[in-house]
Amino acid sequence: MTGQQDAEAGSTVALVCAGCDRSLEDCAFCDEVDCGCAVCYRCCRAAIGESMDPVHAHGG
Amino acid sequence: MYDYVAGKQDWVSAGLPTEGQLPSRPRAGDVARKDVPTCRVNEALDEVAERVRAAGWDASVVVNEERVVFGLLRAAELAAGRGRSVEEAMRPGPSTFRPNVPIEEMAGFMGEHQLHSAPVTTSDGRLVGLLLREEAERAAHELHHAATEGDER
Ligand SMILES: [Zn+2]
Ligand SMILES: [Zn+2]
Ligand SMILES: [Zn+2]
């Protein structure tokens, strides 16, 4: 599970949704870029009953 | 750590049935801690960290004057060092969850993703409370036991 660590310096580790194989920047559930069971927003929403909020931190 | 017992007490206070039939499933909003310390983006991190620790917490939710969630300070961010503002240290735009998510789903996901805490917000982004994994798991576990006992009747 930690095999990516050598490459972490500059390059972005490819993260893939466990549900649909879509590539992700970070896990939609835990926000981690190195989540071992990453899910995309859509799969996460489907899994927890369509009731997760979209992120809107920037009140811009 | 926290001398708070999540679970049945919350169902009672939510007016949900607790005896004689399967309890209504507790939701993220029922179990989320409403007393989570909050802070503002422009506060000094060390002051917030001190306040949070004094309250017996290791996390704080960053909100604006309308309690809209802007960020999250978990233990790592709270320890991020002196001379910084909350805004510099926080995790901006954390994933937030609606109060009606079933607690078993949240507990399962939080365990799988090793997520220690998750902010629960209304649909307009206002903080309801912070759901702690151990409390989500405890509530889910109690639900599981209640369901098993229910079957034996
Ligand atoms: Zn997906
Ligand atoms: Zn994750
Ligand atoms: Zn048990």
Side-chain angles (χ1 to χ4, degrees), chain B residues 3-131:
Chain B
D3 53 20
Y4 173 90
V5 180
K8 268 192 175 161
Q9 295 306 322
D10 285 337
W11 308 348
V12 172
S13 62
L16 299 171
T18 56
E19 298 289 339
Q21 53 177 300
L22 285 183
S24 291
R25 300 177 152 209
R27 308 266 161 177
D30 303 326
V31 182
R33 291 280 300 265
K34 319 294 187 293
D35 58 336
V36 58
T38 59
C39 61
R40 301 290 174 82
V41 285
N42 57 359
E43 286 190 83
L45 182 64
D46 26 341
E47 284 170 24
V48 171
E50 205 176 304
R51 193 170 81 219
V52 167
R53 258 175 237 125
W57 282 79
D58 63 358
S60 177
V61 183
V62 186
V63 296
N64 71 2
E65 45 297 315
E66 280 151 353
R67 275 178 81 80
V68 173
V69 173
F70 275 66
L72 187 60
L73 296 165
R74 295 203 182 96
E77 289 82 37
L78 281 168
R82 314 200 135 258
R84 306 179 73 192
S85 70
V86 164
E87 187 167 25
E88 289 169 317
M90 72 181 188
R91 302 181 67 116
S95 292
T96 57
F97 303 89
R98 295 280 188 84
N100 63 343
V101 178
I103 202 64
E104 321 92 276
E105 310 279 341
M106 283 304 292
F109 263 78
M110 290 177 88
E112 223 177 291
H113 291 250
Q114 316 226 320
L115 190 62
H116 176 254
S117 58
V120 176
T121 63
T122 60
S123 55
D124 56 359
R126 284 165 215 258
L127 181 66
V128 171
L130 189 66
L131 183 63

Side-chain angles (χ1 to χ4, degrees), chain A residues 5 10-11 17 19 25-26 34 43 45 47-48 52-53 59:
Chain A
Q5 290 199 342
S11 62
C17 175
E25 283 177 15
D26 53 20
D34 57 355
C43 288
R45 256 177 62 125
I48 62 177
M52 190 178 135
D53 273 338

